[in-house]
């Protein structure tokens, strides 16, 4: 299989295809976040009633966001089926949805670095640490940290200042003064 001169039948070609799709999906997500829909979503999280009084349909906005997230999820499912050369429901364990929910809750704190740390713990570290039950240990750790995070009522965990400054420089964000 080749696409515009790329040989996709090798592992290297498939890697570059996945990398290209991830970069395009990230750019699309950032464009949505910084565009009108992102502003509508921030306004809806602040005051749905105020947004509806402004004349925006909240239900339509929710349907658009659901459609975008479903499209990205279906794209990732199709890429996973390409990796395994078939797609069946057995590839998607039911417990994985709880793990992903914990990662989403932790990532939704407000800083994008929590999402990066969650992705590292969920996908990257098990790929490099190849013990027999490493996934089970990571799921237990994720559940433990989710419980610890949920028990902190008004205190959000913070990233160390030096790490935050480095990540803000890399992400070209203005540093927050704490």
């Amino acid at each position: 299989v080749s696409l515009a001169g790329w040989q996709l039948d090798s592992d290297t070609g498939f890697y570059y295809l996945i990398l290209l799709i991830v970069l395009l999906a990230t750019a699309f997500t950032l464009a949505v976040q910084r565009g009108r829909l992102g502003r509508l979503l921030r306004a809806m999280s602040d005051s749905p009633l105020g947004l509806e009084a402004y004349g925006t349909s909240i239900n339509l906005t929710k349907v658009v966001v659901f459609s975008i997230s479903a499209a990205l999820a279906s794209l990732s499912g199709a890429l996973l089926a390409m990796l395994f050369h078939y797609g069946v429901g057995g590839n998607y364990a039911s417990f994985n949805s709880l793990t992903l929910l914990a990662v989403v809750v932790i990532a939704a704190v407000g800083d994008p670095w929590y999402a990066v740390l969650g992705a590292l713990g969920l996908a990257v570290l098990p790929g490099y640490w190849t013990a027999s039950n490493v996934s089970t240990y990571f799921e237990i750790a994720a559940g433990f940290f989710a419980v610890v995070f949920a028990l902190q009522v008004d205190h959000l965990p913070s990233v160390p200042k030096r790490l935050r400054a480095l990540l803000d420089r890399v992400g070209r964000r203005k540093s927050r003064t704490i």
Side-chain angles (χ1 to χ4, degrees):
V1 176
S2 65
L3 178 69
W6 282 0
Q7 295 299 325
L8 300 179
D9 57 350
S10 68
D11 289 339
T12 306
F14 187 67
Y15 170 77
Y16 286 120
L17 175 69
I18 296 291
L19 183 64
L20 176 69
I21 291 173
V22 166
L23 291 175
L24 290 174
T26 303
F28 174 74
T29 305
L30 287 173
V32 166
Q33 182 183 9
R34 293 180 179 161
R36 182 174 187 267
L37 184 58
R39 289 190 304 270
L40 289 174
L41 292 174
R42 283 189 295 277
M44 188 168 39
S45 70
D46 290 341
S47 174
L49 186 61
L51 186 63
E52 195 162 325
Y54 184 68
T56 303
S57 172
I58 293 177
N59 291 333
L60 179 66
T61 306
K62 288 180 181 180
V63 168
V64 168
V65 170
F66 176 78
S67 300
I68 290 172
S69 65
L72 290 174
S74 66
L75 178 65
S76 65
L79 291 172
L80 188 63
M82 284 175 57
L83 177 67
F84 292 131
H85 300 290
Y86 62 91
V88 294
N91 291 342
Y92 308 101
S94 60
F95 191 71
N96 287 348
S97 63
L98 295 175
T99 306
L100 292 174
L101 178 66
V103 169
V104 166
V105 167
I106 291 170
V109 172
D111 287 336
W113 318 123
Y114 292 112
V116 171
L117 293 175
L120 285 173
L122 187 66
V124 175
L125 288 179
Y128 286 107
W129 187 23
T130 57
S132 61
N133 292 331
V134 70
S135 296
T136 304
Y137 297 138
F138 279 126
E139 288 174 358
I140 291 170
F144 173 75
F145 286 121
V147 169
V148 167
F149 182 78
L151 292 177
Q152 295 180 0
V153 178
D154 290 329
H155 178 1
L156 294 176
S158 61
V159 177
K161 290 182 182 181
R162 288 185 180 179
L163 179 61
R164 178 181 294 278
L166 173 71
L167 292 173
D168 285 341
R169 262 191 316 231
V170 170
R172 296 182 183 164
R173 292 181 61 186
K174 294 181 181 178
S175 296
R176 293 189 301 175
T177 56
I178 299 176

